[in-house]
Amino acid sequence: METRTIKFYKEDKYLTTVFEREKFELNAIPTNCVLNKTIPGLGATHSEILAERNSFIIEPNIPVIFGKTQGKKELLAVWEKTTDKQIENYLNNTRFRFKKILCTPESYMRVSRIAIGLGINIYQEYFCLFDECEKITQDIDFRENIALPMNDFFSFTNKAFVSATPLRLRNPEFEEQGFIIRKVDPQFDYKKDINLVVTNRYDKTVIDKLEELRDSDCVCVFLNSTNGINKIVTHLESKRINNYKTFCSDKSVIKFKDREIKNSFENLDLPLAKYNFFTCRFFSAVDIKIDKKPDILVLTDLNEAKYSRIDPVTNAIQIYGRFRNVFEDGRSFNSLTHITNVDESETVLDEPDIETFLEESELLFDTIKSKLKEESNKGRRKLLYDDLLKITFNRFINDDGTKNYFAIDNFYDDERVKGYYITDEAIESAYCKTNHFNVNFDRKIDIVGDKELLHYKRLRSDLKSRAYIVEILASLDENEDMHSKAKEYVKIQFLKHEVREKAEVAKYIIDAYEKLGAEALKQTEYKKNRINQLLKQHDKETNHRKMFSLSVREGLKSRLLENTEYPFKDVVTVFEQIFIANGIEAKYNLTTIRKFFGADMLKGQKVGWIKLWKFQPDEEFTIE
């Protein structure tokens, strides 16, 4: 599609001023265009509400519709609880010169059916605006009906797509109908500062960040994972912090309530709390107008949820654009931080790979489909039909057999975003290339991260758990540059494991590793009875070395004289004190004393006394 730029100056504030300057018809969004606003919050949707024409305004989610229609009787909000009668009454109401219907993609078909049933030629009499148009591509894999309005969209004489972050559209009908990309070109610096933190200790890094923001008036957390939100809320509640709200779908509200997280809402509920959590239905379009300048925390946890990936090209821009109040310093938020982990093991297809995949998949689909048409045998037809349903290309086909270009776009888009999370360099580069951010990059990588601890947690047998820890410790010891404090930190991560049984296994095998080393443990095949035998022998030998160490021998010599008689209990006390001070386990009897002195127990009047003769020379002894 051809791209035409529209200059936007800071003093313009909203697009209505630009449309007037550009002499667009009705000072409104032109027909057959993809309006790329570049910056969120320029009032594109509001301009359509003001435009002197009837409009269908299709919004991605219900909270957006509620936010734009609340208290405005001249606008109709259509969602699942809007009745057919309410829609009919609005369409028949002569009080409103222009009808403005805001609906979700899923509810559009119901409105259009009712309008057509009332004899209204919607394709000629209405302008169709699809707001936040990238959502069709991004959500179609889990929200199939989001593309339903596209069956009608190209039938409208006047229509447009709009977003600050539109994605590439491969459907040839846009070109065939002469669509033009109208790109807003801001004539000022609109970049936002963002702290990008890549870590392999996600939970720890998030908790540290929340602690850093403890004095913030308002923290807004954007995370597309109810389990992930639940973990953070549980942490807050453990600190007796209950000043929070979660914003999510109605199904997630029920899930949160089951987990006793009661402050959950399916629509925006103001005022915000100190801590606020938003799932993806609040990432775009929703206007959040608050009198507190928030700290925005965007989270991606690939270990918990692959679908929590944030796209720097779309999601990150849309998220900061939710906050509409501009404060005295010209900013709408205090700070913007994205904390994420990466997954180097992820397989990612580049565009040529995807093209080959689609071509080969389509060829196979068409081949089997042709055979099915020619086959008359019922058994073979069933076999071919079953095979046809298994082919991947089915996901790119509409019910009427035509290509679903938004599903194809979704495939490309998923691989693109997935590729950002392979390495920390890739995600940093993606942010820089948007031209929307000044990136402050921070790499927080521990030697043992969440991935290793999660793998350890999932090991089902103690034997495999022991082997895994030995493997980790051995690899650290092989690295000559590894600082001893870093090694101790790694051990602590296993010793403090959240699962008590795993922590106990770690304590046992780390102690064994420090005494025996990796090779000796490998020879035991990590079997506990064999390890215990080696530990017993090791402790004996260690005890032996300690017993005949220079410090022990010199200590005894200094306190017990040769050729001297002592009460036996006094000699025992000296041995006991010196042995304990040197960490030695032994029996305190005549046999032990004779390992160091020639000695005899006295008789007669000196029963209970001992005569120490000459101190024994250095030699090896067997511990009894």
Side-chain angles (χ1 to χ4, degrees):
M1 281 184 279
E2 177 191 350
T3 299
R4 297 179 188 174
T5 58
I6 308 170
K7 288 185 178 180
F8 185 88
Y9 301 93
K10 204 161 192 175
E11 54 269 25
D12 287 335
K13 291 189 178 179
Y14 297 108
L15 285 173
T16 47
T17 304
V18 178
F19 295 159
E20 185 176 358
R21 185 171 63 241
E22 293 289 327
K23 295 183 170 48
F24 289 159
E25 185 179 353
L26 301 178
N27 296 329
I29 299 170
T31 188
N32 285 12
C33 85
V34 177
L35 178 60
N36 181 350
K37 300 184 298 179
T38 304
I39 304 174
L42 298 188
T45 311
H46 187 64
S47 75
E48 187 55 37
I49 289 173
L50 296 177
E52 294 185 340
R53 60 189 177 194
N54 299 317
S55 309
F56 282 108
I57 301 173
I58 303 173
E59 296 289 353
N61 290 302
I62 294 170
V64 185
I65 295 171
F66 284 178
K68 294 186 184 298
T69 61
Q70 195 168 25
K72 299 174 183 177
K73 293 183 179 179
E74 69 275 17
L75 307 178
L76 177 66
V78 180
W79 59 302
E80 61 182 347
K81 292 188 179 179
T82 307
T83 66
D84 289 1
K85 190 64 178 175
Q86 287 173 319
I87 296 171
E88 287 180 15
N89 290 342
Y90 179 80
L91 291 170
N92 288 325
N93 194 324
T94 57
R95 288 171 50 207
F96 308 127
R97 184 181 172 196
F98 299 107
K99 302 296 192 302
K100 302 291 178 178
I101 302 169
L102 285 80
C103 59
T104 61
E106 291 84 353
S107 60
Y108 162 79
M109 297 306 294
R110 184 157 64 101
V111 182
S112 62
R113 172 180 54 79
I114 293 170
I116 292 170
L118 293 173
I120 300 170
N121 185 349
I122 60 172
Y123 307 112
Q124 293 294 327
E125 298 177 24
Y126 278 75
F127 187 94
C128 186
L129 179 66
F130 213 121
D131 197 12
E132 310 301 349
C133 56
E134 77 280 357
K135 296 295 287 181
I136 313 177
T137 296
Q138 291 175 329
D139 293 0
I140 196 168
D141 55 341
F142 65 90
R143 190 179 168 189
E144 185 178 342
N145 290 337
I146 195 171
L148 279 178
M150 296 309 298
N151 296 330
D152 272 16
F153 182 77
F154 291 110
S155 298
F156 282 84
T157 302
N158 299 298
K159 54 197 173 291
F161 269 20
V162 64
S163 179
T165 56
L167 295 170
R168 179 180 171 182
L169 298 165
R170 291 175 176 80
N171 190 330
E173 198 155 0
F174 285 99
E175 292 272 9
E176 291 166 6
Q177 292 212 8
F179 267 69
I180 295 172
I181 297 173
R182 304 270 186 172
K183 181 173 174 56
V184 172
D185 182 17
Q187 302 298 294
F188 52 90
D189 182 10
Y190 56 90
K191 285 187 176 181
K192 308 296 181 186
D193 295 334
I194 187 169
N195 303 307
L196 174 62
V197 182
V198 175
T199 181
N200 64 346
R201 292 301 312 278
Y202 170 84
D203 290 336
K204 178 179 181 297
T205 305
V206 170
I207 289 171
D208 288 347
K209 185 63 181 179
L210 290 172
E211 177 62 21
E212 181 185 319
L213 296 174
R214 65 184 181 278
D215 294 327
S216 172
D217 290 333
C218 182
V219 179
C220 291
V221 180
F222 292 81
L223 171 59
N224 192 32
S225 167
T226 52
N227 287 336
I229 291 173
N230 180 64
K231 280 199 301 185
I232 300 173
V233 169
T234 300
H235 168 75
L236 292 176
E237 290 183 334
S238 72
K239 301 290 184 181
R240 297 185 178 180
I241 299 171
N242 296 301
N243 188 7
Y244 67 83
K245 289 182 178 181
T246 63
F247 300 94
C248 50
S249 68
D250 53 348
K251 291 180 181 178
S252 294
V253 167
I254 295 170
K255 186 187 295 186
F256 279 141
K257 285 183 178 178
D258 288 342
R259 296 176 179 179
E260 297 186 356
I261 297 175
K262 298 178 174 61
N263 305 329
S264 299
F265 306 88
E266 58 182 297
N267 294 300
L268 193 64
D269 181 78
L270 297 178
L272 294 184
K274 179 177 175 65
Y275 296 96
N276 307 277
F277 300 88
F278 300 89
T279 58
C280 66
R281 73 193 248 125
F282 292 87
F283 284 9
S284 59
V286 181
D287 296 342
I288 304 177
K289 297 178 180 179
I290 52 177
D291 57 7
K292 296 176 182 178
K293 201 190 301 181
D295 288 281
I296 305 171
L297 187 55
V298 183
L299 302 178
T300 298
D301 183 6
L302 301 181
N303 293 327
E304 177 70 42
K306 297 286 187 183
Y307 48 82
S308 66
R309 291 187 186 97
I310 293 294
D311 180 11
V313 177
T314 60
N315 303 139
I317 296 167
Q318 291 287 353
I319 284 170
Y320 82 70
R322 295 312 93 227
F323 299 92
R324 297 304 174 88
N325 284 1
V326 178
F327 294 83
E328 290 181 0
D329 60 0
R331 301 174 63 186
S332 55
F333 54 86
N334 274 321
S335 66
L336 173 61
T337 302
H338 182 188
I339 296 174
T340 182
N341 38 32
V342 294
D343 185 359
E344 295 181 358
S345 66
E346 191 76 73
T347 300
V348 179
L349 303 178
D350 58 21
E351 287 209 11
D353 292 331
I354 296 172
E355 288 170 7
T356 301
F357 175 89
L358 290 172
E359 288 170 3
E360 296 296 327
S361 181
E362 184 176 12
L363 179 61
L364 181 60
F365 182 86
D366 289 343
T367 300
I368 295 179
K369 191 175 180 181
S370 296
K371 287 183 179 180
L372 181 61
K373 286 182 180 179
E374 297 169 0
E375 184 58 61
S376 58
N377 181 275
K378 289 182 180 179
R380 292 195 194 97
R381 281 184 60 83
K382 184 178 186 320
L383 184 62
L384 287 168
Y385 182 73
D386 289 346
D387 286 345
L388 191 67
L389 293 179
K390 295 174 185 176
I391 295 173
T392 305
F393 200 72
N394 274 290
R395 63 184 273 204
F396 307 117
I397 298 293
N398 291 313
D399 292 340
D400 61 2
T402 58
K403 280 186 184 178
N404 186 332
Y405 285 98
F406 286 105
I408 292 172
D409 288 342
N410 174 269
F411 186 28
Y412 277 94
D413 195 60
D414 274 356
E415 295 300 310
R416 173 182 64 81
V417 177
K418 195 192 302 182
Y420 297 151
Y421 289 86
I422 297 295
T423 64
D424 48 8
E425 293 88 355
I427 186 66
E428 180 187 15
S429 176
Y431 267 105
C432 291
K433 287 179 180 177
T434 65
N435 292 319
H436 267 266
F437 301 102
N438 299 310
V439 183
N440 175 30
F441 181 69
D442 188 7
R443 191 172 185 267
K444 294 183 182 295
I445 304 297
D446 288 345
I447 303 157
V448 169
D450 294 329
K451 189 174 182 180
E452 289 79 12
L453 292 171
L454 183 62
H455 177 75
Y456 177 64
K457 179 180 179 180
R458 289 174 175 170
L459 291 173
R460 294 188 176 279
S461 71
D462 287 352
L463 189 146
K464 288 182 178 179
S465 298
R466 295 181 205 120
Y468 184 67
I469 290 183
V470 171
E471 178 188 338
I472 295 286
L473 296 178
S475 68
L476 296 179
D477 282 335
E478 288 171 5
N479 187 344
E480 295 179 359
D481 297 329
M482 189 66 64
H483 196 277
S484 59
K485 286 185 178 179
K487 293 177 184 176
E488 287 306 310
Y489 174 80
V490 169
K491 293 173 185 176
I492 289 170
Q493 301 316 302
F494 285 108
L495 292 172
K496 290 170 62 180
H497 201 279
E498 59 180 311
V499 180
R500 182 176 58 82
E501 291 80 3
K502 287 290 185 181
E504 290 173 355
V505 171
K507 185 178 185 308
Y508 171 80
I509 199 64
I510 288 172
D511 178 63
Y513 178 86
E514 290 174 343
K515 291 179 177 180
L516 306 175
E519 189 55 38
L521 288 170
K522 185 178 180 181
Q523 296 300 320
T524 68
E525 297 178 328
Y526 309 103
K527 294 178 180 177
K528 194 170 185 179
N529 60 336
R530 295 175 63 181
I531 294 173
N532 286 340
Q533 289 174 3
L534 285 184
L535 286 173
K536 186 176 181 180
Q537 182 62 30
H538 172 273
D539 290 345
K540 276 189 176 183
E541 292 172 357
T542 301
N543 205 55
H544 178 266
R545 284 192 297 272
K546 288 179 180 178
M547 183 179 288
F548 297 101
S549 65
L550 182 61
S551 63
V552 171
R553 296 175 68 82
E554 291 299 323
L556 292 173
K557 280 183 182 181
S558 67
R559 296 183 61 181
L560 298 171
L561 302 179
E562 296 178 330
N563 301 311
T564 305
E565 297 176 353
Y566 293 97
F568 180 74
K569 65 178 182 179
D570 291 352
V571 174
V572 167
T573 298
V574 170
F575 268 80
E576 184 177 11
Q577 290 173 349
I578 292 174
F579 279 15
I580 290 174
N582 286 272
I584 299 164
E585 294 182 6
K587 296 176 181 178
Y588 304 109
N589 54 26
L590 183 60
T591 302
T592 302
I593 294 169
R594 281 175 172 168
K595 293 181 187 298
F596 295 90
F597 291 90
D600 289 312
M601 296 298 298
L602 300 181
K603 298 180 181 179
Q605 292 183 346
K606 288 206 169 183
V607 170
W609 282 59
I610 186 170
K611 177 72 177 277
L612 300 182
W613 304 100
K614 189 174 178 61
F615 198 80
Q616 302 285 14
D618 292 348
E619 57 182 282
E620 292 296 318
F621 295 93
T622 303
I623 306 293
E624 293 182 358

